[in-house]
Each structure stands twice: as C-alpha cells, then as structure tokens.
Amino acid sequence: MLTIWGRLNSHNVKKVAWAAIEMDIPHRRIDIGGQFGFTPDCLAMNPNRLIPTIEDDGFVLWESNAILRYLGQRYGGSLFPADPQQRAAGDKWMDWQFSYAEAQRGCFVGLVRQSPDQRDPAAIARSAAASGEMMKILDDELGRTPWLSGPEFGIADIPMGVYAHTFFSLAIDRPSLPHVEAWYAKLKERDGFASQVMIPLT
Ligand SMILES: N[C@@H](CCC(=O)N[C@@H](CS)C(=O)NCC(=O)O)C(=O)O
C-alpha cells in the first residue's frame, strides 16, 4: 500500500494526496512536518526535513512533482500522457509551479501563517501583484487548451490546481482571469480536489 507522509495543509502534500485519489490508489497518509515534527525514521527516508515523502512497495521517494510523475507512470493511465510532446507540454507547467510558489509565498505566509501584528502589508501586496501577473500567463494558456495536461485532465493540472485554490481563497486583489477561473471551477467538481485541496488554509 502507498504511504504518504506529510500534513495536509501543505501545498506539496495536497498534490500527492489528490493524485492518489485521482488514480484510485489505496493509500494512507501520516501527518508529519510542521507542528507534527519529524521522527528519525522519517528523516532517514528524507534528510531534507521536508514533506511529502512516499513509500510504495518499499520504494521511497521525495520531491512532490517527482512523486506525481512516478505515480502517474505507474498508476495514472491516461492521466500521464504517453506522447512525449504532450507530456513535456504539461511538464513545463509542473516546473513553472515552483516559480509561481515563490511569487505567492509572501501573501500566503502573511495572510495565513502570520498574525495581523506580524504582517507586512507592502510585502503582501507585492506578492499578490506578482502572483496575479503570473496567473495572467496561465490564463493565456488556458484560453488555448482546456487543461494544462492537454485535451483531458491529467497530472500537469495538479500542481497549479493546488496553488490556484490558495490564490482564489486569499483576501487579495486579483486581475480578471476568465480562463483560470473556468478551469478552477472544473477542478472544484473533482472529488479528490474537494476532499484534499479545498480545506481551510492554515
Ligand atoms: N520541492 C519540495 C518542497 C517541499 C517543501 O518545501 N515542503 C514544505 C511544505 S509545503 C515543508 O516540508 N515544510 C516544512 C515542514 O512542513 O515542516 C517538494 O516539492 O516536495
């Protein structure tokens, strides 16, 4: 059975927990990281002191997007496109998500993880503006293709899907993003997204 280690209020853990449901993989998730800390066994599996880590039939893996690709290849069927160009076209959005996460970090941490007296409103506004600018790039893409994975939903939609939920949940100014909003509305209809991603931000 697949084991996922990591607290669910982590963007990177949400990706893997959602993917496991999309792929119908029997699994369990164990809270570690953040307030749960790390046991020596966890650190032996992943010395980075980061989440998520998975174990699947004795195979240990960390780095959330590497995990998505592994699960997609082993269990994902059509969620992991066979065509190299279609897969690469989605892959770039999976890598792009890490740049996006940097842009969004300031407003997420400021508004969710910091108390009002710790907040730096200017830093939050800068991060919100940078996030909105990047989301406009995503919006252009989603005006050309229904999914980041191609004609159908697939693993390339998962990383930015998780971050889009945060973006639309934060009390920040947002530009007009009709295509991202339509894509996000379709994601919200998916059971795995609703149960693993659409949880209160903490
Ligand atoms: N590139 C790594 C980043 C992992 C990462 O930064 N995880 C954060 C949570 S989203 C973490 O472990 N923070 C420390 C903690 O939760 O204790 C990945 O995608 O898996």
Side-chain angles (χ1 to χ4, degrees):
M1 174 161 71
L2 173 70
T3 303
I4 303 167
W5 279 274
R7 57 185 167 82
L8 194 56
N9 63 343
S10 142
H11 290 89
N12 291 307
V13 173
K14 284 179 172 184
K15 295 179 203 171
V16 177
W18 173 19
I21 290 178
E22 290 287 352
M23 296 175 200
D24 258 331
I25 309 169
H27 65 282
R28 61 180 178 155
R29 189 184 55 76
I30 299 174
D31 281 323
I32 65 163
Q35 75 270 34
F36 301 101
F38 292 86
T39 63
D41 284 351
C42 293
L43 293 173
M45 286 189 297
N46 182 351
N48 299 293
R49 202 172 273 271
L50 292 173
I51 49 175
T53 299
I54 64 158
E55 186 267 322
D56 186 37
D57 288 342
F59 174 64
V60 171
L61 188 63
W62 39 264
E63 278 299 332
S64 57
N65 287 355
I67 293 170
L68 291 182
R69 292 183 184 101
Y70 163 74
L71 295 178
Q73 192 150 17
R74 185 160 191 201
Y75 303 106
S78 62
L79 297 186
F80 191 68
D83 175 70
Q85 292 183 354
Q86 191 182 332
R87 189 185 304 170
D91 238 358
K92 76 173 181 296
W93 291 107
M94 296 177 71
D95 288 354
W96 187 86
Q97 168 263 299
F98 285 114
S99 304
Y100 177 79
E102 286 304 311
Q104 191 177 272
R105 183 185 309 281
C107 51
F108 172 72
V109 172
L111 293 171
V112 176
R113 298 264 164 91
Q114 291 182 330
S115 58
D117 57 311
Q118 293 174 312
R119 283 177 194 151
D120 175 350
I124 292 171
R126 273 196 307 277
S127 164
S131 303
E133 285 305 308
M134 289 189 79
M135 281 291 184
K136 286 192 211 165
I137 296 172
L138 192 70
D139 198 63
D140 286 344
E141 175 74 353
L142 288 168
R144 292 185 287 266
T145 178
W147 299 100
L148 297 178
S149 304
E152 303 295 338
F153 172 83
I155 66 158
D157 293 281
I158 291 179
M160 277 311 297
V162 168
Y163 280 85
H165 175 65
T166 300
F167 177 75
F168 286 113
S169 302
L170 291 172
I172 53 174
D173 290 334
R174 283 179 284 274
S176 165
L177 299 163
H179 305 298
V180 176
E181 281 175 31
W183 169 76
Y184 176 55
K186 288 189 292 181
L187 293 179
K188 287 199 281 186
E189 291 168 2
R190 306 187 76 87
D191 290 345
F193 189 79
S195 65
Q196 308 300 300
V197 180
M198 294 173 64
I199 59 173
L201 298 183
T202 54

